[in-house]
Amino acid sequence: MPGGHKTHIAKASAERVEVRGRDLVGDVMGRLTFTEYFHLLLTGDEPTEQQRFFLDLVLVAIAEHGLMPSNVAARMTLAADPAALQGAVAAGLLGAGPVILGTSGECARLLESDEDPLELARSIHEAGGKVPGFGHPIHRPVDPRAERILALADEHGVSGRNVARARALRDAVAELWDKPLPLNVAMAIAAVLLDLGYTADAVRAVPILARTAGLLAHLTEEREQPIGLHLGRVAEDAVEYE
């Protein structure tokens, strides 16, 4: 077999499943929660109590947000093929870009910069761009999820450099833009998770897991109370053909 190729995540044999150096059956099952296990899988380490608390918090915060386009796409896919649960989940995830999943990954990259927040915001503003993590089509003047995450970060004493930079960016955006743009949940997630030691790539991964849970809830309801085909008819009725 070719050498030099390694994985540190898991290996299964007839007698044992080993995950990140731990015996899945004899050690992990019954001891770690799913949130803790996800952290272990993602990072290779078991979480601290604060990491567990805030990872769980943000998964809860963004798992569900109503009949978003990704959920509608998943429901309509299942309506078209009731046996294709995996396909319907995939359809929802494929339709969940930054508008639906949020821009936590982009926010993390922004926060990792050493550039002064006001100058950073000014350069984006002058280029006609948008600052990731600000603005929301529904939540105005504040995103209540973001405010709760940041308040708990303060309360638990985990707010550090990145939460401070997020708040400085909020002040800069308020100064430079001529309309209110709330600091949204994506920025709060990025700031707190970075302060807890997560990488930007890990920050980007978390919303995908959260939204998968929401998709599965919609698809379970779709089987019990179908609306997928109705949503398709409503869309056709609402859009004028020329």
Side-chain angles (χ1 to χ4, degrees), residues 40-85:
L40 173 64
L41 288 171
L42 192 64
T43 69
D45 297 310
E46 293 183 26
T48 65
E49 178 56 28
Q50 296 285 32
Q51 287 173 327
R52 182 208 60 77
F53 177 87
F54 281 96
L55 180 57
D56 199 55
L57 173 70
V58 300
L59 287 168
V60 170
I62 55 173
E64 183 49 43
H65 208 253
L67 283 172
M68 305 298 290
S70 55
N71 292 332
V72 172
R75 281 181 177 261
M76 293 178 70
T77 301
L78 193 69
D81 185 354
L85 180 62

Side-chain angles (χ1 to χ4, degrees), residues 99-123:
V99 174
I100 306 301
L101 283 177
T103 56
S104 290
E106 291 85 347
C107 292
R109 302 291 183 196
L110 199 67
L111 292 171
E112 287 180 328
S113 165
D114 291 326
E115 189 173 353
D116 176 76
L118 180 58
E119 294 306 314
L120 184 57
R122 180 176 285 117
S123 65

